[in-house]
Amino acid sequence: MSSRISIARPTAPGYTPSYTPEPHGLSNSRSNSGFRAANPDSPVEKLRAFAEQVEDYIDTFSQPLRPHLPAIGRFLIVVTFLEDALRITTQWSDQLWYLQRHRKFPWGISHIFLFINVITMLLGSGAVITKRHTEIAVGGLLGVVIIQGFGYGLIFDLTFFLRNLSVIGGLVMVMTEAMFTNKTRFAGLPSVSETDRKKYFLLAGRVLLIFLFLGFILQGTWSVARVLMSIVGLGACTMVAIGFKAKWSAAFLVLVLSIFNVFVNNWWSVHSAHPQRDFLKYDFFQTLSIVGGLILLVNMGPGGLSVDEKKKTY
């Protein structure tokens, strides 16, 4: 390769030749431990440079928000639980009627079921927002997701199941963020180091977060725009799951899901008496929770079990 050839210069006796690196490193004849493209004009190298430039822009524009990203992410993750607690409270009689009439709950059990759900969601959400007893709060909210699935008979509904997997992914990200900021907690699992636990939790959170998009692909009517969005979104979800350019792909999904949420789940435009309003509101706030999980991923990075991290060692 011509860029690797160094030209010998006439030297005086006793003079030791030295090499002057080319400013961009392309003509440096010394051994290089890192990978360098043979052709900087190749499409792969251009794509690599573009991705790095996008990451630089993301870091630049998110810098003013970066100190606040964890708080924003935690709030958005639990906002669906706050909305659900408010909805149960304001529709208490309707909730009791549904549980007793359609789910065959005994009179007292239905009241206890709703009361436990409301209290757990309010206390758990408050604890997550204020970062107090995070592991207990996340455990309580996970319990709410599970018992509501069985209690309302939605556990076998595929869309509900996929969406709630993503919500669980957001809660896992909250647990991981607590590990990053408070190393004195999570003293269990003595056979696994603190660093390894963070890696595994981040991997689980990344994988679970993308199930919302799979639910989006499986539901609704198809169109050209929907196909294109599904292909692009599925590519970004795959990048998040394997941890390749994870911050960039997570930021992209935050943008896409936010736009999608405003235009598709616009519950405020539906009349309050229309039954579709509650379904749209439920989908809207659940999507916000998943956006919150992605924001935490942007803030923390993909962790050790990711392509991005492995690339640093090669």
Side-chain angles (χ1 to χ4, degrees), residues 53-82:
Q53 188 176 21
V54 170
E55 286 183 338
D56 290 340
Y57 282 136
I58 292 174
D59 288 338
T60 300
F61 289 111
S62 64
Q63 196 63 37
L65 285 175
R66 188 166 295 277
H68 309 290
L69 286 181
I72 295 172
R74 291 194 305 272
F75 173 76
L76 290 178
I77 286 170
V78 300
V79 72
T80 187
F81 297 101
L82 295 173

Side-chain angles (χ1 to χ4, degrees), residues 76-81 167 170 284-293:
L76 290 178
I77 286 170
V78 300
V79 72
T80 187
F81 297 101
V167 172
F284 178 85
F285 285 101
Q286 270 210 326
T287 303
L288 282 184
S289 293
I290 295 146
V291 167

Side-chain angles (χ1 to χ4, degrees), residues 211-220 222 226 229-230 260:
F211 279 99
L212 168 73
F213 206 85
L214 297 180
F216 165 74
I217 293 175
L218 294 175
Q219 67 177 2
W222 287 98
R226 184 182 180 85
M229 182 178 177
S230 297
F260 166 83

